[in-house]
Amino acid sequence: MNNLLSAKHTSAGVAGLGATGYLTIDIASLSRNYEKLAAMVMPGRAAAVVKADAYGLGAERVSRALYARGCRHFFVAQFVEAQELRLALAPDAQLFVLNGLQPGAEMASAELGIIPVLNSLEQYRRWCVAARSLKRTLPAVLQFDTGMSRLGFPPEERPTLAKALEENGTVEVLFIMSHLASADELDATQNAEQLAEIRRIADEFAGFDISIANSGGVFLGNAYHGVLARPGIALYGGAPTAGAPNPMEPVVSLEVAVVQTRTVPAGTKVGYSGVHVTDGEARLATIAAGYADGLPRSLSGRGAVYYDGIRLPIVGRVSMDSITVDVSALPEGALSLGSLVEVIGPHQSLEDIARDAGTISYEILTSLGHRYFRHYR
Ligand SMILES: *Cc1c(COP(=O)(O)O)cnc(C)c1O
């Protein structure tokens, strides 16, 4: 398990030999997470949010795997993401762009069958123009701002939108949606307020179906499930609810190789600016991943990696390409060039490292670098 030279981490045998880090993405766990969420939201459907390259895990691999499990609705944030993913997905997979329409993307969206989430009157009008020039109706989702002030029709645009929808048959509204600002907090009153608001809007607009739940929303109860849930982080093993046990299976594990070990006397400075000074003789290991690989600099002097279940604290500053850890808790010689330590795995969850870094699991996942050997299991 711990020696790089054995290369037994990789189903591809020696394919990962020489890599300084191994990022393993467990497709079976991902699939089970999807099935769990899909079962919870029945009779509604569960989409997959695969924006930002499926939170860094590979949008194409992830989407194909979830398609095989019955997922037919995929959300990305930007048009360019949709453009790439469209080619990888079967025609019956619907692909939605959360940021809607940027000027200039209208015709390409229409031609590729990409469905914009329209957030404003201006985006709506641009989509109507595209439909008229193509002489056919174009599908869309309408997003309403129900209290996040980020994306979606603001309240003052609703009357004009209602009129436009009545007069104009060129845009086919599939459903309406909104996004919860506090879905990961079970007792946030904002959740119920936003749900009530989107329901009011649905009634106002001829009873459109509703989509409001992200991962956290799925766990807020049936009332939030609507016609289509839009989980992201929970698919990838992140905790949907803050401060509660995580019901999802871990999907990602990360092991990083040791590049050098040394024994130093008391009073030795470690890393940039010498901010860490050893208080006794210490054994140190330098591991081959740093902030350029998505291990935030905020982990400097905080957090740890693990070896054989033993905690090895990070000492000194995180460098661009490496981190130094104190391995004095291990038997002498336990680690050597090429040994692999656990950064994310059975002893340290995504949430653990995110907490130590002062961030959230989303940011850790979407920052994971491209220098690791990626292995899909
Ligand atoms: C990112 C996003 C999601 C997915 O959120 P998770 O918290 O990762 O489940 C759903 N809906 C919208 C509008 C989003 O931007």
Side-chain angles (χ1 to χ4, degrees):
M1 147 104 191
N2 293 307
N3 197 315
L4 179 61
L5 296 175
S6 73
K8 61 191 163 194
H9 282 79
T10 69
S11 61
V14 295
L17 207 60
T20 51
Y22 293 86
L23 182 65
T24 304
I25 296 153
D26 190 329
I27 292 290
S29 297
L30 168 83
S31 300
R32 283 191 293 271
N33 284 342
Y34 176 74
E35 280 165 357
K36 181 189 181 91
L37 296 163
M40 283 181 73
V41 301
M42 289 235 283
R45 301 284 301 267
V49 177
V50 294
K51 61 192 180 188
D53 202 25
Y55 292 39
L57 303 188
E60 202 173 313
R61 300 294 286 264
V62 162
S63 301
R64 283 202 175 131
L66 297 181
Y67 182 91
R69 298 298 169 121
C71 184
R72 292 294 178 271
H73 303 84
F74 299 86
F75 286 85
V76 292
Q78 323 278 21
F79 169 71
V80 288
E81 299 181 287
Q83 224 175 356
E84 272 179 32
L85 197 53
R86 185 66 274 180
L87 305 168
L89 287 174
D92 67 332
Q94 293 191 314
L95 192 45
F96 304 91
V97 176
L98 290 165
N99 284 354
L101 269 182
Q102 288 301 108
E106 299 88 349
M107 292 317 248
S109 294
E111 271 158 31
L112 291 168
I114 292 167
I115 304 169
V117 174
L118 302 176
N119 293 304
S120 64
L121 276 176
E122 184 176 2
Q123 289 190 341
Y124 174 80
R125 288 187 181 123
R126 286 177 175 277
W127 201 226
C128 288
V129 169
R132 260 182 260 122
S133 79
L134 290 167
K135 299 191 170 52
R136 61 183 167 98
T137 58
L138 289 175
V141 174
L142 304 180
Q143 173 157 233
F144 292 88
D145 176 25
T146 57
M148 202 172 167
S149 309
R150 184 178 75 167
L151 282 171
F153 287 91
E156 64 273 17
E157 287 190 353
R158 276 188 228 153
T160 315
L161 174 66
K163 222 175 287 161
L165 285 173
E166 258 170 46
E167 291 161 7
N168 202 319
T170 54
V171 167
E172 182 200 357
V173 178
L174 303 179
F175 55 89
I176 66 170
M177 61 170 269
S178 194
H179 190 50
L180 295 166
S182 310
D184 62 336
E185 299 167 42
L186 289 177
D187 51 5
T189 54
Q190 197 179 9
N191 293 323
E193 288 163 13
Q194 289 192 265
L195 179 62
E197 180 68 358
I198 193 69
R199 282 180 165 167
R200 252 196 309 278
I201 296 167
D203 289 344
E204 198 178 306
F205 285 86
F208 285 132
D209 287 328
I210 293 170
S211 168
I212 191 169
N214 65 337
S215 299
V218 171
F219 290 84
L220 291 174
N222 291 343
Y224 289 83
H225 294 164
V227 70
L228 185 68
R230 309 185 309 270
I233 195 73
L235 293 172
Y236 312 118
T241 308
N246 186 352
M248 311 314 295
E249 281 188 40
V251 171
V252 176
S253 52
L254 175 61
E255 290 169 294
V256 173
V258 169
V259 259
Q260 197 171 11
T261 57
R262 72 187 74 242
T263 302
V264 296
T268 304
K269 291 183 175 124
V270 180
Y272 280 119
S273 300
V275 290
H276 180 79
V277 180
T278 55
D279 53 11
E281 185 182 276
R283 273 180 287 118
L284 304 176
T286 303
I287 65 165
Y291 60 76
D293 304 290
L295 302 179
R297 198 160 171 277
S298 56
L299 286 171
S300 298
R302 303 171 52 84
V305 302
Y306 284 78
Y307 183 83
D308 271 352
I310 294 172
R311 187 174 189 276
L312 309 174
I314 293 170
V315 289
R317 295 232 168 113
V318 172
S319 295
M320 184 188 289
D321 315 294
S322 65
I323 288 180
T324 302
V325 296
D326 188 325
V327 303
S328 305
L330 292 176
E332 210 169 331
L335 293 182
S336 56
L337 178 64
S339 302
L340 294 174
V341 299
E342 171 191 334
V343 178
I344 301 170
H347 303 94
Q348 175 154 269
S349 70
L350 198 51
E351 275 72 29
D352 291 334
I353 193 163
R355 186 198 53 239
D356 287 341
T359 183
I360 54 175
S361 56
Y362 300 69
E363 193 174 24
I364 296 292
L365 278 186
T366 55
S367 305
L368 288 172
H370 293 280
R371 297 194 287 191
Y372 303 123
F373 179 78
R374 285 175 175 237
H375 170 219
Y376 291 84
R377 186 161 63 195

